Amino acid sequence: LILLLFLASFGMLVVISASPSIAINKDLDGFHFVERHIYYLIISICCLLVFSTLSVKGILRLSALGFFIALILMFLVLILSKEINGSVRWIKISSFSIQPSEFIKPFFIVMTGYFFANKREKYFHISGNSLASISLILLMFLLILQPDAGMMMIVFMVWCCQYFISGIKIKKIVIISLLASVISVLVYYSKPHVKSRIDSFLSADQPGIQVKKALLAYESGGIIGRGPGEGTVKINMPDAHTDFIFPVIAEEYGLIACLSLIILFVLIVMRGFFKLKRIKNLFVLIASAGLIIQFGLQAFINIAVSLKLAPTTGVTLPF
């Protein structure tokens, strides 16, 4: 909890530094994104405290309800929303815009954890393993239609890890790997937006504008950085306050701060796995492991994208 609160506090500090120039470019108040970030952080901490008081059964019921509602919202996104940067991911509810695929991730992980833990039981004559697979296929189908390749990758990898923890035969690993390869090729050739990002990543001479600016930020920051608020690359870099906030940290706080932040993410993940050693309930073990893996994967992919070690995705840096 202390590590997470420290990470959230540092995240707020960086948002205060990175977002004013973005807000001004969008004709908004300089502290628009800062105020919104603090507002959502307070809500998140309240949710954390409420969820921590729930029983295992209460969290399972909440996850089932949340998964169902988020699925409906993902269907509505495809019908009601407009395309933004080549994808359809956001839906407007009253004065808020939300991305249902972000909300569905933890609910999906808890539900599949329950199905894998009870894989031999029958629900409406369908085994737990089959329900976990059906849930994955349904969610992947909706993500392909958006498309959201980064989210697809995270969801699939977490699902595979949960399946592995629950016990899986080598033959099934081969089949899943082949299916994943076929789906990846189909998505690459059927979605121009995804194809262009992968082609840009593979091209040594023509990286995307965001990655090019990110690499400049790393070079500019050096070992100790230019100082809080002194970064210049963020002014013209798209999504500097969200998807590409790690390069802002690199430019203003330097290599030492970046390595410290990576160590902090690793500590949170390792501490989470250490806590899992004491858990005897298989459902709690698989679900919790999935949530920890999702957290670590999201951080790794976001940082890898800004270093041109992975194709550009819409994956944000946790906290």
Side-chain angles (χ1 to χ4, degrees):
L1 178 63
I2 292 170
L3 291 172
L4 286 171
L5 291 175
F6 181 79
L7 182 59
S9 300
F10 182 69
M12 184 171 65
L13 176 67
V14 179
V15 168
I16 291 171
S17 172
S19 64
S21 59
I22 307 292
I24 292 169
N25 288 339
K26 293 178 178 288
D27 296 324
L28 298 169
D29 177 72
F31 286 94
H32 170 78
F33 293 114
V34 176
E35 292 170 357
R36 195 171 67 170
H37 184 84
I38 294 172
Y39 173 73
Y40 287 129
L41 186 59
I42 292 170
I43 292 176
S44 300
I45 292 172
C46 291
C47 288
L48 184 150
L49 295 172
V50 171
F51 293 159
S52 69
T53 65
L54 297 176
S55 64
V56 171
K57 187 175 289 186
I59 288 177
L60 180 60
R61 288 172 176 169
L62 179 67
S63 298
L65 177 63
F67 183 69
F68 179 71
I69 293 172
L71 269 182
I72 293 173
L73 290 175
M74 287 184 72
F75 275 110
L76 292 177
V77 162
L78 299 172
I79 300 169
L80 303 176
S81 298
K82 296 179 181 179
E83 186 176 296
I84 300 175
N85 295 329
S87 300
V88 181
R89 301 177 188 174
W90 296 83
I91 186 169
K92 195 170 182 64
I93 299 176
S94 184
S95 59
F96 296 94
S97 292
I98 64 169
Q99 188 177 345
S101 55
E102 285 290 344
F103 284 90
I104 205 170
K105 278 189 301 185
F107 299 137
F108 170 79
I109 291 169
V110 172
M111 293 306 299
T112 52
Y114 179 76
F115 293 143
F116 281 134
N118 300 277
K119 56 186 176 183
R120 290 184 177 84
E121 292 189 23
K122 299 287 185 179
Y123 305 88
F124 306 105
H125 305 290
I126 304 174
S127 67
N129 266 357
S130 297
L131 281 174
S133 300
I134 291 168
S135 300
L136 175 70
I137 292 168
L138 180 58
L139 182 53
M140 293 287 278
F141 175 72
L142 292 172
L143 291 172
I144 287 172
L145 294 178
Q146 289 189 358
D148 192 342
M151 188 78 72
M152 285 172 58
M153 182 166 57
I154 290 173
V155 166
F156 180 73
M157 291 177 72
V158 171
W159 185 89
C160 288
C161 290
Q162 288 184 297
Y163 200 173
F164 179 79
I165 293 169
S166 71
I168 182 174
K169 295 179 180 178
I170 298 296
K171 182 175 71 174
K172 289 186 177 180
I173 293 176
V174 174
I175 293 171
I176 291 170
S177 300
L178 289 173
L179 283 173
S181 301
V182 170
I183 291 171
S184 298
V185 172
L186 289 174
V187 171
Y188 174 79
Y189 284 106
S190 63
K191 300 294 182 181
H193 176 60
V194 175
K195 187 176 186 299
S196 65
R197 288 192 169 186
I198 294 175
D199 290 344
S200 175
F201 166 70
L202 295 174
S203 171
D205 301 324
Q206 296 180 330
I209 182 65
Q210 290 168 309
V211 175
K212 187 183 291 185
K213 294 282 187 182
L215 295 176
L216 284 174
Y218 288 118
E219 185 179 349
S220 174
I223 301 295
I224 59 173
R226 297 168 62 102
E230 297 299 319
T232 57
V233 175
K234 66 188 179 186
I235 297 171
N236 299 313
M237 183 166 65
D239 300 320
H241 63 308
T242 53
D243 298 359
F244 281 82
I245 200 163
F246 197 73
V248 175
I249 298 169
E251 185 180 21
E252 299 190 353
Y253 297 91
L255 175 65
I256 295 173
C258 288
L259 292 177
S260 301
L261 189 58
I262 291 171
I263 291 170
L264 183 57
F265 278 115
V266 172
L267 284 174
I268 291 170
V269 171
M270 296 305 296
R271 180 64 182 166
F273 281 126
F274 178 77
K275 297 283 283 185
L276 290 183
K277 290 170 59 179
R278 308 174 190 175
I279 293 175
K280 305 299 181 184
N281 186 316
L282 185 60
F283 158 55
V284 177
L285 174 66
I286 297 173
S288 300
L291 291 168
I292 294 166
I293 292 166
Q294 182 256 315
F295 175 85
L297 268 177
Q298 189 157 326
F300 173 78
I301 291 172
N302 176 275
I303 294 170
V305 165
S306 68
L307 287 164
K308 203 180 185 297
L309 298 175
T312 304
T313 64
V315 174
T316 54
L317 192 64
F319 290 85

